[in-house]
Amino acid sequence: MPNENEYKGRCFCGAVELRVVGQPAAMGYCHCTSCREWSAGPVNAFTLWPPSAVTITRGADQLASYNKTEHSHRKWCKKCGGHVLTEHPGMGLLDVYAATLSEFPFAPQLHVNYGETVLRIRDGLPKQKDMPKEMGCGRILLTD
Ligand SMILES: [Zn+2]
Ligand SMILES: [Zn+2]
């Protein structure tokens, strides 16, 4: 039965598909060096979900994983190299990249790790120097 708050996502080639249900715990943009170097893009648009809200519906065996640190297990499709999600065990949340969820109404609430930004975005949203406490670390507000 289709659920109103259910959205499908997929990797670049479609070998990996997933489903999210409900509402994310947080949504926004991450400016950290790790996201930048791994994604090869200046900013990462994230949606954070409890693991129970996320189901890999196709191609789970196609997902590869790399963790440079204990905090982030980054997963991508072995076939196309497309990034799919990141597990954050410390936070107990999964970041399903906003770009993975093409039909999800992405509504960013804040910018995190703005202290490491290479692309200033003057959109009036709160700018956290690092990660907000509820997402794992301290919080200092920066201006955009
Ligand atoms: Zn793929
Ligand atoms: Zn990041």
Side-chain angles (χ1 to χ4, degrees):
M1 208 170 91
N3 184 323
E4 199 183 333
N5 290 316
E6 180 177 308
Y7 297 93
K8 289 184 175 143
R10 44 175 281 173
C11 69
F12 186 47
C13 75
V16 179
E17 292 180 351
L18 57 79
R19 182 180 65 218
V20 295
V21 179
Q23 286 296 319
M27 306 185 238
Y29 299 101
C30 184
H31 293 252
C32 84
T33 305
S34 292
C35 281
R36 181 160 59 247
E37 291 181 352
W38 189 62
S39 71
V43 175
N44 175 44
F46 65 82
T47 68
L48 291 171
W49 304 79
S52 60
V54 182
T55 309
I56 304 295
T57 52
R58 182 168 185 239
D61 59 331
Q62 294 298 317
L63 277 180
S65 183
Y66 175 75
N67 63 301
K68 189 176 186 179
T69 71
E70 286 306 302
H71 307 296
S72 301
H73 295 245
R74 299 171 184 269
K75 298 185 189 291
W76 71 96
C77 168
K78 287 190 250 181
K79 250 186 179 161
C80 68
H83 296 176
V84 179
L85 58 87
T86 294
E87 282 176 13
H88 295 296
M91 285 189 239
L93 294 169
L94 298 179
D95 171 7
V96 181
Y97 305 122
T100 304
L101 300 167
S102 56
E103 280 157 29
F104 178 74
F106 180 60
Q109 301 154 321
L110 78 169
H111 294 255
V112 299
N113 296 312
Y114 204 64
E116 299 173 33
T117 191
V118 295
L119 179 67
R120 296 196 164 265
I121 299 177
R122 294 183 173 85
D123 58 2
L125 289 175
K127 307 290 188 304
Q128 308 288 345
K129 185 180 183 200
D130 42 33
M131 292 291 275
K133 254 200 186 68
E134 58 271 25
M135 287 162 65
C137 300
R139 84 190 296 177
I140 301 170
L141 217 54
L142 301 179
T143 54
D144 56 3

